[in-house]
Structures are given as structure tokens and as C-alpha cells.
Amino acid sequence: MPPSKQERREALKAVYHQARDCTRCPQLAATRTTVVFGSGNADADLMFVGEAPGKNEDEQGLPFVGQAGKLLDRLLGEIGLQRADVFIANTLKCRPPGNRDPHPEEIENCHEYLLRQVELIQPRVICTLGNFATKLLRGDPTGITRLHGREEVRVIGARAVRLYPIFHPAAALYTPSNVELLRTDFARLPELLAMEPPPQPGQEQERPEMPETPEPIEVPELDSVAVVVDDHQMGLF
């Protein structure tokens, strides 16, 4: 029997505690203010994966809270979504000193946490933001310029998802023309979310012939005022 939503939520908290105390990357552990695990709906159909926390994220413990985050919020709003509807994470959970690029061994050390997030949240669509996340989750060096706006079914860890690369919102802050590219790619997200989820590995024959009616997104009453401390710390809705 597959785990319930509550069981997956509790397992996600356990992964958060593990990541919060992680010292796999000594330099990052020594220089970070906090581990930025991710935030959003723990049952989201749509998950965003960026590169790494910046200064604001490191200070607040939440992803995408700077100018790039404001643009992300605006683009979500234009397609009728908000942060409470999605989950946002990064390939690295700690800020690299000076906002340098992540090192390959750091990405490798952190990869397990990201795979566990995908496994427990069970998104239908993963939107990779920029080159680092796209190359990591595709396992291929092809850059974002060639791939943005082109979805494909990929197995991430043990879960099949629709992977949808787009430019990182930060790219639009430096090149305003990229805002329209982002807006165009974002506009396809409702269409992708409306598609039937891809069959999971080894379960192709177990899927019902007709898709079940999706449950409405709910915010559990218990968590709505952050009664559960871990939910508040993790930014779970």
C-alpha cells in the first residue's frame, strides 16, 4: 500500500532534519547561515528546482525570496497559481560562498535530498530553472538555451515526471528581453499540469483506464496557523 499524504509529509520532515544538520560539504556547512530546504505545498503537482540559495535565501531560510523570487511570484500569478500551490527547491540546500557556482562534488552530495523531495512530494511536473538544475536532472550537458520550453518525460530517482526546463528568473533581471521568454514558457504550465501523469516505472499495467478526479488543493486546518513547528520552519503549506 502506498504511503498516505500524512506519512509522506512526516517523511519529508525527517529529510528536512537530516539536511538541516548536514556537513557533507565542509565549506558550505561552515559558511552558511541556514539550510534552505525548500518551501511550498508538500503535495504539489508542480515543483520548481533552481540552482542554489543566495544571500537573502541564506538569511531567511526560504528559496527565491529576492528579486528573482518576486518575478517568479508574478509569473505564477499570471497563470493563476501562487506559492501555496507549488513546491520550490534548489539543487544545493546551502549558499555557496560569494554566490559562486556550485562545485560538482557539492551537487553530488546534495542530490540525495532533492531525489527524496521528488519521491515524497510526488509532483507531476518539475520545472527546472536554469542550466544547473536542467543539466543535473536530465543527466545531460545540453544547455537551457536549446531546451527551454520543451517538456519531456524523465525518471528522476524512482519517479517519472514531466520535466520542463525554463530560464532562471534571475536571467531576466539582467536581460529584460528574457522576461517575455519566461512568460511564454510559463503559459504552458497549466496545459502540462492538465495532462494525465506519466506512468511510473514498473506500474504501467496498474494504472486505471480512466484518470481519477483530482482532489482539490487543501491546506490542513492543523497546519494553517503553523501549529506544527517543523512545517513552519520548512515553509510547508
Side-chain angles (χ1 to χ4, degrees):
M1 179 181 296
S4 67
K5 288 184 178 181
Q6 186 59 35
E7 288 171 335
R8 290 190 286 109
R9 193 184 189 96
E10 293 302 317
L12 191 62
K13 293 178 190 176
V15 179
Y16 161 70
H17 280 287
Q18 182 184 3
R20 185 183 62 180
D21 300 324
C22 182
T23 57
R24 295 177 183 178
C25 304
Q27 183 186 33
L28 300 189
T31 58
R32 73 189 179 211
T33 301
T34 185
V35 169
V36 184
F37 184 72
S39 70
N41 188 335
D43 302 306
D45 285 334
L46 174 60
M47 182 173 177
F48 289 91
V49 179
E51 179 182 323
K55 182 178 184 293
N56 293 323
E57 290 77 15
D58 180 57
E59 292 174 348
Q60 299 184 39
L62 295 171
F64 284 84
V65 293
Q67 291 302 311
K70 292 179 181 179
L71 176 56
L72 180 64
D73 290 344
R74 189 167 83 232
L75 292 169
L76 282 172
E78 290 177 1
I79 59 172
L81 295 174
Q82 55 186 341
R83 286 198 181 221
D85 301 321
V86 306
F87 194 90
I88 306 174
N90 285 304
T91 60
L92 289 192
K93 310 306 181 192
C94 300
R95 180 196 181 196
N99 288 350
R100 62 161 170 76
D101 289 344
H103 292 164
E105 63 272 18
E106 294 168 347
I107 293 175
E108 179 63 26
N109 287 340
C110 221
H111 193 38
E112 177 189 349
Y113 298 125
L114 181 59
L115 293 182
R116 287 288 285 154
Q117 287 176 314
V118 172
E119 176 186 354
L120 295 169
I121 296 167
Q122 298 186 356
R124 294 186 179 194
V125 177
I126 293 181
C127 190
T128 53
L129 302 173
N131 268 320
F132 280 95
T134 300
K135 291 177 180 180
L136 174 66
L137 294 186
R138 293 188 75 252
D140 183 275
T142 307
I144 190 67
T145 302
R146 289 183 56 189
L147 293 172
H148 78 91
R150 297 166 53 187
E151 83 279 3
E152 59 182 325
V153 174
R154 285 266 177 169
V155 176
I156 308 299
R159 185 158 188 84
V161 301
R162 282 191 170 82
L163 196 68
Y164 186 59
I166 64 174
F167 285 107
H168 196 289
L173 299 179
Y174 303 107
T175 309
S177 61
N178 284 340
V179 173
E180 289 308 313
L181 288 176
L182 271 171
R183 183 170 281 116
T184 298
D185 289 344
F186 259 77
R188 288 208 56 222
L189 284 170
E191 172 192 340
L192 299 180
L193 290 168
M195 292 181 179
E196 190 174 355
Q200 297 304 308
Q203 297 181 354
E204 288 82 355
Q205 302 303 317
E206 298 179 13
R207 297 172 61 220
E209 293 183 2
M210 295 294 292
E212 297 179 359
T213 302
E215 297 182 5
I217 295 174
E218 297 181 356
V219 180
E221 292 183 4
L222 178 63
D223 300 331
S224 62
V225 291
V227 174
V228 181
V229 175
D230 285 343
D231 286 5
H232 176 68
Q233 291 174 331
M234 292 169 59
L236 293 181
F237 298 111

